[in-house]
Amino acid sequence: MAQAPVVLLHRTERFSACHRLHSRHLSDVENREIFGLCNNPNGHGHNYVWRVTLQGPVHPTTGMVYNLSDLKKEMAEVVKMVDHKNLDLDVEYFHEGGVVSTTENLTVFLHRELAKVMKRPELLLESTVDETEKNVFTFREIPSVKL
């Protein structure tokens, strides 16, 4: 029997959120120097685009890599955590964890939260977040290698 072809599946969601780039570990002066306008005390917002990529074999019976209805629900569950929120005040990962709400960290957060709710998280290859048309961030969970 022939091996099933492996296909990349992409799905996109959009959400809006605000944040302030500010590290608790830096002085106010250092924060202003590093983050510039993005350190505005009142914050600023973005209309984010979140794209996930799954990679897996095409199931011989269903013809699918992953059920898109399931993925839509799973991504919506994660989007609820950030949509129309102040990332620094409303999202525990950033607020309580003291994680700076850069889009790099947001991308990691979305990816890992999705993996927690997916039926087959091993198929989740990467997450990409477009902060703007010019600023795009991609995260792949790479297993740690013991040396």
Side-chain angles (χ1 to χ4, degrees):
M1 187 152 123
Q3 189 172 7
V6 173
V7 172
L8 296 176
L9 179 159
H10 307 276
R11 178 158 175 84
T12 302
E13 292 292 339
R14 298 174 189 279
F15 64 94
S16 299
C18 70
H19 66 145
R20 176 188 185 204
L21 296 184
H22 188 87
S23 173
R24 297 177 188 173
H25 306 290
L26 300 171
S27 70
D28 287 343
V29 170
E30 290 171 312
N31 272 293
R32 282 192 300 274
E33 286 175 0
I34 292 170
F35 299 119
L37 292 174
C38 296
N39 184 246
N40 175 7
N42 295 319
H44 65 283
H46 298 283
N47 294 314
Y48 294 99
V49 178
W50 176 34
R51 204 167 29 264
V52 300
T53 302
L54 279 57
Q55 179 179 321
V58 176
H59 191 278
T61 304
T62 66
M64 298 187 295
V65 170
Y66 197 82
N67 188 316
L68 281 172
S69 295
D70 291 339
L71 185 58
K72 179 180 177 179
K73 291 174 192 168
E74 293 159 353
M75 288 181 75
E77 189 174 331
V78 175
V79 166
K80 280 193 308 191
M81 301 170 75
V82 294
D83 192 28
H84 287 82
K85 303 285 171 88
N86 180 321
L87 299 176
D88 303 309
L89 302 176
D90 301 327
V91 180
E92 185 177 336
Y93 178 78
F94 297 106
H95 182 69
E96 297 297 325
V99 176
V100 180
S101 58
T102 60
T103 306
E104 292 92 332
N105 285 328
L106 177 61
T107 306
V108 172
F109 171 76
L110 295 171
H111 184 92
R112 290 181 173 167
E113 290 300 314
L114 180 60
K116 290 178 188 177
V117 299
M118 286 182 67
K119 291 180 179 175
R120 301 221 25 229
E122 71 277 9
L123 298 180
L124 181 57
L125 179 65
E126 68 183 24
S127 288
T128 298
V129 176
D130 297 13
E131 177 186 73
T132 67
E133 290 181 5
K134 295 181 179 183
N135 301 332
V136 180
F137 304 84
T138 299
F139 174 71
R140 285 187 180 185
E141 192 79 58
I142 299 172
S144 60
V145 177
K146 292 185 180 180
L147 300 177

